[in-house]
Amino acid sequence: MDWLQILSNTASSILSPATIGYALAALGLAVHFGYAGLLNMGIAGFMAIGAYGYAISILTFDLPWWLAILIGLAASAVFALILGVPTLRLRGDYLAIVTIAAAEVVRLLFLTTAFDDVTGSADGLSGYHASFRASNPIPDGTYGFGPWTYTANDWWVRIVGLITLAVAVLVVWLLMRSPWGRVLKGIREDEDAVRALGKNVFSYKMQALVVGGVIAAAGGIVYALPSAVSPGVYVTSLTFFIWTALLLGGAATVFGPLLGSLIFWVLQTFLSNFLPALVQAGVLPFMTQIQAGTLRFILVGVALMLLVIFMPQGILGNKKELTFVK
């Protein structure tokens, strides 16, 4: 096995747009679930709306990239309002069922041929990078060292993604230490008690849904910045992956989603290189390389179950912060 290549590919995932996008989505989910107690199983829908809103704004309306980002974020806020009005009075499993169905409806709308001229249907959308790359202040060339050697455009995507992530972390950190954040934590623990104190629980839940949805949409945009937007990406498994990253790092924390996303993608990249290499070396003779690549998803599923059972608070979490999970 070529260990140098395996480790190099694994290390490069630390700064990948996918890792940054997952971190943003997991941070948005932390606002929903970790702080507000909303069992949102449709986070992939928010990511899809952010990515499609960005791409459609450029390709269909010829808007500059920065305005397209704002439109993608605004679209996710509108989606949160539409989703929240009829559903936020639901609790637990019922809310999970509704949100996972809503995300699938969004994906199918982008997939349908009725809007093929706008959404690209099954082919998705691409070719929207010109204005973003034209604004790149980094001179043409290749920069970095070792596995972190990228072109100027690749660095521009990562810089914008990291700045977006830093702003999102700061906003969530400040919000959760404000009176608004303390009310949100109270709703998570016992919304009836908070309602008895005269707080409008529905309004706070709606605000949390919008804030977390916008952050998740930013993750969808960063995820789509370097390549293309495809409806095949925003499937239910994407939601489960983000939940895995969230629970791994700690749901009721600000930095837990970042750590969880980093560990998740490093392990995913390592397994996607390591398992096929084992097949090629004859260590797993009963499997093909394609089957070995699929095996990593089984391992992720098993890891998610073990996390929920044995460590629901995550690496950075506090057991007292997630008493409502039990």
Side-chain angles (χ1 to χ4, degrees), residues 184-195:
L184 211 61
K185 295 175 186 177
I187 293 173
R188 176 194 69 193
E189 298 296 336
D190 191 340
E191 67 176 73
D192 291 328
V194 175
R195 189 177 289 109

Side-chain angles (χ1 to χ4, degrees), residues 37-41 87-99 191 205:
L38 301 176
L39 195 57
N40 177 16
M41 298 299 293
T87 64
L88 284 184
R89 301 188 190 280
L90 301 174
R91 299 190 186 185
D93 299 342
Y94 299 102
L95 181 61
I97 292 171
V98 171
T99 51
E191 67 176 73
K205 283 185 174 181

Side-chain angles (χ1 to χ4, degrees), residues 143-155:
Y143 306 92
F145 61 94
W148 302 287
T149 301
Y150 308 110
T151 65
N153 286 328
D154 290 337
W155 273 115

Side-chain angles (χ1 to χ4, degrees), residues 15-278:
L15 287 179
S16 71
T19 302
I20 300 171
Y22 267 56
L24 283 163
L27 184 62
L29 187 58
V31 175
H32 290 167
F33 176 69
Y35 290 107
L38 301 176
L39 195 57
N40 177 16
M41 298 299 293
I43 199 68
F46 288 96
M47 295 182 71
I49 287 177
Y52 271 96
Y54 171 75
I56 291 173
S57 297
I58 294 175
L59 294 175
T60 303
F61 301 102
D62 198 27
L63 298 177
W65 68 273
W66 57 269
L67 183 56
I69 289 178
L70 295 179
I71 290 177
L73 299 181
S76 69
V78 173
F79 174 66
L81 292 172
I82 295 173
L83 177 64
V85 168
T87 64
L88 284 184
R89 301 188 190 280
L90 301 174
R91 299 190 186 185
D93 299 342
Y94 299 102
L95 181 61
I97 292 171
V98 171
T99 51
I100 199 171
E104 188 64 9
V105 168
V106 168
R107 188 184 71 85
L108 292 175
L109 282 175
F110 290 133
L111 187 61
T112 181
T113 57
F115 311 109
D116 183 66
D117 293 341
V118 177
T119 64
S121 187
D123 295 329
L125 298 172
S126 61
Y128 48 79
H129 310 94
S131 64
F132 176 75
R133 292 174 179 174
S135 64
N136 185 1
I138 305 173
D140 289 338
T142 301
Y143 306 92
F145 61 94
W148 302 287
T149 301
Y150 308 110
T151 65
N153 286 328
D154 290 337
W155 273 115
W156 181 225
V157 170
R158 285 160 174 78
I159 290 171
V160 170
L162 289 173
I163 291 174
T164 304
L165 181 59
V167 171
V169 167
L170 179 61
V171 168
V172 173
W173 187 82
L174 292 174
L175 283 176
M176 295 312 157
R177 280 156 180 76
S178 69
W180 182 84
R182 289 191 287 272
V183 172
L184 211 61
K185 295 175 186 177
I187 293 173
R188 176 194 69 193
E189 298 296 336
D190 191 340
E191 67 176 73
D192 291 328
V194 175
R195 189 177 289 109
L197 294 174
K199 300 295 183 181
N200 189 334
V201 171
F202 179 82
S203 176
Y204 277 92
K205 283 185 174 181
M206 180 65 77
Q207 293 168 36
L209 188 65
V210 171
V211 171
V214 168
I215 295 174
I221 294 172
V222 171
Y223 193 93
L225 274 181
S227 54
V229 178
S230 171
V233 172
Y234 307 101
V235 293
T236 306
S237 59
L238 175 61
T239 293
F240 294 152
F241 292 159
I242 294 171
W243 270 95
T244 302
L246 174 68
L247 296 178
L248 178 60
T253 65
V254 176
F255 295 100
L258 280 63
L259 177 62
S261 299
L262 178 62
I263 295 175
F264 175 84
W265 265 105
V266 166
L267 288 177
Q268 276 278 69
T269 306
F270 175 76
L271 291 175
S272 65
N273 286 268
F274 178 65
L275 293 175
L278 288 179

